[in-house]
Amino acid sequence: MKKSMLVVLMLLMVLPFVFAAGGQEVKADTAKQDVTEIVYWQYFYETKKDLMDKLIVMFEERNPDIKVTQQTFPYENYNTKVASSVPSGQGPNVINLFYGWLPLYIDSGYLQPLPESVFPNARIENEFFPLVEAAKFDGKYYALPTAVRSLALFWNKDLFKAAGLDPEVPPKTMDEMVAFAKKIAKTDKSGNYLQAGMSLELRGQMHHVVREVLVRQFGGTPYNADSSKVTYNSQAGYDALKWFTDLETVHKVGIPQYMTDDVTAFSAGKMGITIDGSFRLGNFNKLKDTLHYGVAELPEMNGVKSNFASFWANGITSTTQGKELEASIKFLEFLTSDEVMAMWLPAIGELPAKKALALKDEFKNDPTYGPFIRGLEYAQATKFLDENAQRMVWINAYDEVVLNGKSPKQAVDQAAAEEQKVIDAYYAK
Amino acid sequence: MASRPKFSVERNKQFWAYIFLAVPILFYVVIRFYPTLFAFYLSFTDWDIVSTEMNLVGLKNYRELFGDSVFWITLKNTIKYVVWGLPISLLLGFVLAYQIDRVKTGDGLYKAMYFIPYITSMVAVAWVWRWLYQPVPIGVFNNLLSSLGLPTLAFLSSKTQALPSILATTIWADLGFQMIIFLAGIKAISPSLFEAARIDGANEGQVLLRITLPQLKPTVVFLLITGTIRYLRIFTQVMNMTYQGEGGPLNSTKPLVLYIYDNAFKSFKMGYAAAMTVVLFTLILIVTLIQMVVTRDEK
């Protein structure tokens, strides 16, 4: 009895190796038929993976000599996974990276520049939204997106109605947004929020709003032209942080991490207004029976409109050479084609990266995608070098004011010094 | 048998014992010792995980460390976790064990109840407690306070309450372990000692102070050593109870291990992170050595 158990156990241990060996043989077979195999990496997001599977079938039908294998990894440790695969020399040919991570991978020589012959700079800059320039280093483009994302204001129509506001009219200016939020916010006798007026979630998208929207609306710029110097330690920056912390301390329209985070609170119908990305439409649409919301462009202030845009871009790794490189370039051309972009929008909720396509009337005037697309025209893509650290400085600046009682000026100056250190550390290499 | 006297049954047994032991030793050398030594080397480099080259930078990482205010905050937090958390959990663990030892019926149930948190995944424990600590309308604690008409507490979003809140969770989860070991220690005390004391007319307090506690010294030393190391390496709780593991607000809950993790796997400063692990290693080594000396005196 015991012996037979042992045999079964040993078989179990050996079997995976047998299968692994089998898998390798299949690969060898396809190589014989002169098929170039390339590997594509992206993080796991169900709709993205499913669409990519379909796109790969389309691509392989048109290019029978190329086989694309998609591998996905959990979002939470995708960056770590990619980074730790670099020293081992194992990895994909074409890879999907967040634009904020590009400096690290370009610097280390992990990505190769896109060939000028296929992707000339002039054409990229003519066709794509200008924010794609965040993927340009030393005059060369290293990655191109299929889709871009921007921010918009989401409002809960039921809460608007309950607060005596017109459920079809979103706030047009920042001040109006605060006024509306004050009407929606509800507290009990001891000041606990039963319902929040608006999101204060710097940990979500609000740090982008402070950095790229409020600072500009108060007449400043967050960084200098080549993003090597922090410039929000100015009156505009102080005003922006004061305006934002006043939401909690003076206007009492909500608190950070209300109901753990803004997405939960808005989904639960406990938050009147939030600012979030187009990628969130998928989450909110699933709740459309209980959550009745509208989407609008970000409110303006002092006549200034601004927005934050970001993107995931596809690049080619440096170790990809010869036939694999040719195949990878073809695949990248396919992924950045109008055809794929048009499929991407309804399936994923991310916006076409090319201006001509995105600004078509059917997209631009769409009630849900429209505000995001119109926002793209005046959107900024912050050139992040260490996004996590750069987000933390604003979260800490907020806490310094609200929890530590520092003045917005002190807090912003401290944040600017810390962020400058992150930037300097990068350029010192 | 007689023809091979050198390979007696005893020798043979030993030979196979060494063979079997070689496997875990090999495992330890490859998986534990080699990376540990490599971390020492890394701490003198500027490696960023993705670069192919590792440049030796001498003591630069260590110098930077001494000027890094967040490093000092996290070190202080780590020490707070140990000096506040460990004594409380030891004391509570002992009180529980002492009381359960005196219970005649249902002690198995009590033991199980207090031990279950220890075998529950720390990630699950952390998330449940994170929800318990939320403000109204989600958090159970604050809903309770609010329904009693008392002012609510900020818990995890307060600079001063966040660390004790996380510590409370840790102690709660840790208690079962301390209790079981104390209980084993108490059960191992020879009953004749108690009998002799009773015959001499010692009261309960005297028995506790003169017999139970002194006899438990080896148990306490063991729990102190393992507990110190466990509390010095605190990570999972803070990672899961603060938003995206930021160790906030304002780094007030961030332990050293979490700061190491941030540097290594979020900012990819491997050399800098390695320098911090060396500091932590030294700290654990010193604590262990001191405690080993104490135990040797005991013998």
Side-chain angles (χ1 to χ4, degrees):
Chain A
M1 176 66 189
K2 267 187 185 166
K3 258 193 186 163
S4 63
M5 285 279 286
L6 203 68
V7 172
V8 171
L9 262 175
M10 283 175 77
L11 267 178
L12 277 176
M13 283 161 79
V14 174
L15 272 177
F17 294 103
V18 177
F19 280 121
Q24 268 164 4
E25 248 160 63
V26 173
K27 271 185 199 168
D29 276 352
T30 49
K32 268 179 220 153
Q33 294 160 0
D34 215 26
V35 168
T36 312
E37 192 183 322
I38 57 171
V39 177
Y40 177 72
W41 272 16
Q42 68 170 343
Y43 68 92
F44 180 82
Y45 192 81
E46 201 176 0
T47 51
K48 276 195 181 184
K49 186 191 167 285
D50 292 350
L51 179 64
M52 190 53 71
D53 282 339
K54 269 185 228 156
L55 292 175
I56 287 172
V57 172
M58 274 170 67
F59 177 75
E60 286 175 347
E61 272 168 15
R62 291 175 208 174
N63 300 278
D65 56 334
I66 302 175
K67 186 179 178 320
V68 184
T69 308
Q70 175 180 209
Q71 291 175 351
T72 59
F73 303 93
Y75 174 76
E76 289 72 24
N77 48 20
Y78 181 63
N79 195 17
T80 311
K81 169 75 197 169
V82 175
S84 51
S85 77
V86 177
S88 71
Q90 304 275 315
N93 303 99
V94 182
I95 185 161
N96 192 240
L97 293 169
F98 187 62
Y99 84 100
W101 303 342
L102 291 174
L104 174 78
Y105 293 107
I106 293 167
D107 232 37
S108 62
Y110 181 60
L111 294 179
Q112 53 176 301
L114 303 179
E116 182 85 15
S117 53
V118 190
F119 303 100
N121 283 2
R123 209 187 78 206
I124 293 175
E125 275 152 30
N126 190 23
E127 288 183 352
F128 284 78
F129 280 102
L131 61 107
V132 170
E133 255 188 75
K136 186 182 181 184
F137 290 83
D138 294 329
K140 290 177 201 142
Y141 281 89
Y142 282 81
L144 279 177
T146 301
V148 294
R149 308 103 61 91
S150 63
L151 301 177
L153 178 142
F154 293 76
W155 82 95
N156 183 317
K157 293 184 176 176
D158 294 337
L159 297 189
F160 265 53
K161 214 185 289 173
L165 297 162
D166 184 341
E168 298 306 326
V169 180
K172 295 271 183 317
T173 66
M174 287 287 181
D175 292 335
E176 212 172 34
M177 177 168 76
V178 177
F180 287 12
K182 275 166 102 167
K183 285 193 182 154
I184 295 163
K186 269 192 207 154
T187 55
D188 66 12
K189 273 173 290 176
S190 15
N192 300 309
Y193 285 95
L194 302 172
Q195 189 170 293
M198 61 175 281
S199 160
L200 265 69
E201 209 56 79
L202 286 171
R203 292 164 177 85
Q205 303 300 322
M206 281 301 186
H207 79 102
H208 298 306
V209 173
V210 176
R211 189 194 308 267
E212 292 291 2
V213 181
L214 287 174
V215 169
R216 288 175 195 276
Q217 290 179 331
F218 276 108
T221 48
Y223 305 94
N224 68 351
D226 66 354
S227 294
S228 63
K229 282 269 174 294
V230 173
T231 53
Y232 57 67
N233 47 344
S234 61
Q235 195 55 45
Y238 310 148
D239 290 346
L241 185 63
K242 173 156 182 359
W243 188 91
F244 194 76
T245 50
D246 276 356
L247 294 175
E248 177 177 356
T249 54
V250 177
H251 304 302
K252 303 203 188 318
V253 293
I255 46 167
Q257 299 189 73
Y258 179 64
M259 293 183 76
T260 69
D261 60 82
D262 54 338
V263 181
T264 309
F266 192 80
S267 301
K270 294 275 184 193
M271 183 179 275
I273 299 166
T274 186
I275 291 177
D276 218 324
S278 36
F279 42 87
R280 203 67 70 196
L281 287 168
N283 304 45
F284 294 155
N285 278 340
K286 279 189 202 145
L287 305 165
K288 59 175 178 277
D289 293 338
T290 52
L291 182 68
H292 306 109
Y293 68 92
V295 185
E297 277 179 77
L298 292 190
E300 54 179 78
M301 190 201 278
N302 300 329
V304 179
K305 282 182 169 191
S306 186
N307 201 317
F308 166 78
S310 60
F311 56 92
W312 285 75
N314 295 308
I316 301 173
T317 55
S318 307
T319 46
T320 306
Q321 297 298 336
K323 273 194 167 170
E324 285 181 353
L325 180 58
E326 276 169 41
S328 300
I329 291 169
K330 266 192 198 160
F331 188 54
L332 194 58
E333 269 188 292
F334 172 70
L335 289 183
T336 51
S337 65
D338 287 12
E339 184 188 10
V340 171
M341 285 184 192
M343 289 170 74
W344 200 269
L345 175 70
I348 315 290
E350 290 182 328
L351 321 164
K354 286 183 185 165
K355 277 183 281 189
L357 185 64
L359 296 177
K360 270 188 183 169
D361 284 345
E362 55 167 312
F363 294 137
K364 197 178 166 181
N365 296 329
D366 185 281
T368 44
Y369 297 118
F372 292 101
I373 290 172
R374 297 196 293 274
L376 274 178
E377 292 183 82
Y378 48 84
Q380 313 281 341
T382 315
K383 231 175 180 172
F384 284 114
L385 299 171
D386 181 348
E387 201 211 359
N388 180 55
Q390 287 172 283
R391 174 175 55 228
M392 276 317 294
V393 302
W394 275 104
I395 293 171
N396 287 343
Y398 183 93
D399 285 347
E400 290 284 7
V401 173
V402 175
L403 300 178
N404 268 358
K406 284 197 182 165
S407 73
K409 179 179 185 316
Q410 283 171 314
V412 168
D413 284 343
Q414 189 182 330
E418 272 171 38
E419 190 166 351
Q420 189 63 53
K421 249 195 342 205
V422 174
I423 295 172
D424 289 345
Y426 173 79
Y427 287 109
K429 272 188 213 161
Chain B
M1 288 275 258
S3 59
R4 286 161 60 191
K6 278 182 186 167
F7 244 71
S8 66
V9 176
E10 203 45 47
R11 292 290 289 265
N12 209 349
K13 263 189 191 166
Q14 275 195 18
F15 172 75
W16 282 105
Y18 280 118
I19 291 286
F20 278 112
L21 284 177
V23 177
I25 285 175
L26 190 75
F27 175 81
Y28 263 88
V29 167
V30 176
I31 304 291
R32 284 276 165 108
F33 299 151
Y34 168 69
T36 309
L37 291 175
F38 192 64
F40 277 91
Y41 172 73
L42 267 187
S43 72
F44 298 107
T45 70
D46 66 350
W47 193 44
D48 66 354
I49 222 176
V50 290
S51 297
T52 40
E53 72 235 42
M54 282 181 209
N55 303 311
L56 281 169
V57 292
L59 290 171
K60 182 172 165 281
N61 289 328
Y62 290 93
R63 270 200 301 273
E64 212 173 298
L65 210 56
F66 284 104
D68 182 351
S69 60
V70 181
F71 168 73
W72 290 109
I73 293 173
T74 56
L75 192 64
K76 236 183 269 173
N77 290 340
T78 307
I79 292 169
K80 275 186 204 165
Y81 281 118
V82 179
V83 255
W84 295 355
L86 193 54
I88 298 176
S89 85
L90 281 180
L91 186 72
L92 289 178
F94 174 73
V95 171
L96 278 179
Y98 188 68
Q99 298 301 337
I100 287 175
D101 183 49
R102 289 146 54 115
V103 168
K104 290 287 169 280
T105 47
D107 58 330
L109 180 72
Y110 282 113
K111 272 185 251 177
M113 266 169 51
Y114 285 109
F115 199 65
I116 283 172
Y118 181 71
I119 52 170
T120 308
S121 151
M122 196 62 224
V123 176
V125 169
W127 275 91
V128 170
W129 279 78
R130 179 174 169 177
W131 280 74
L132 295 178
Y133 282 135
Q134 287 299 312
V136 177
I138 292 189
V140 171
F141 294 150
N142 274 328
N143 278 340
L144 200 69
L145 288 172
S146 169
S147 65
L148 294 173
L150 297 168
T152 54
L153 293 170
F155 291 121
L156 296 174
S157 50
S158 148
K159 262 195 324 162
T160 46
Q161 294 169 25
L163 191 140
S165 302
I166 290 176
L167 208 48
T169 308
T170 313
I171 292 170
W172 176 78
D174 215 31
L175 215 50
F177 177 73
Q178 323 277 39
M179 178 208 65
I180 284 287
I181 304 289
F182 268 126
L183 206 54
I186 294 174
K187 298 266 190 231
I189 300 172
S190 164
S192 59
L193 288 173
F194 292 116
E195 264 168 47
R198 216 172 298 134
I199 291 164
D200 287 346
N203 63 27
E204 266 188 37
Q206 281 169 325
V207 170
L208 174 65
L209 286 177
R210 299 292 166 97
I211 296 175
T212 314
L213 283 180
Q215 289 289 315
L216 279 177
K217 211 167 174 186
T219 312
V220 174
V221 171
F222 168 75
L223 288 177
L224 263 180
I225 295 179
T226 54
T228 311
I229 295 173
R230 212 166 47 246
Y231 278 80
L232 277 175
R233 298 192 313 186
I234 208 162
F235 173 82
T236 319
Q237 298 86 317
V238 192
M239 178 77 182
N240 290 289
M241 289 177 75
T242 58
Y243 191 83
Q244 289 178 353
E246 65 184 36
L250 292 171
N251 297 318
S252 62
T253 58
K254 189 181 276 181
L256 188 52
V257 183
L258 184 55
Y259 193 46
I260 292 172
Y261 173 85
D262 280 352
N263 270 287
F265 299 111
K266 281 186 178 162
S267 300
F268 299 120
K269 288 152 80 180
M270 295 303 276
Y272 192 55
M276 277 187 265
T277 61
V278 171
V279 173
L280 182 65
F281 174 85
T282 319
L283 209 69
I284 294 181
L285 188 70
I286 292 171
V287 171
T288 315
L289 284 179
I290 292 174
Q291 286 169 338
M292 273 172 73
V293 169
V294 174
T295 24
R296 198 168 298 152
D297 285 352
E298 186 58 29
K299 281 172 188 166

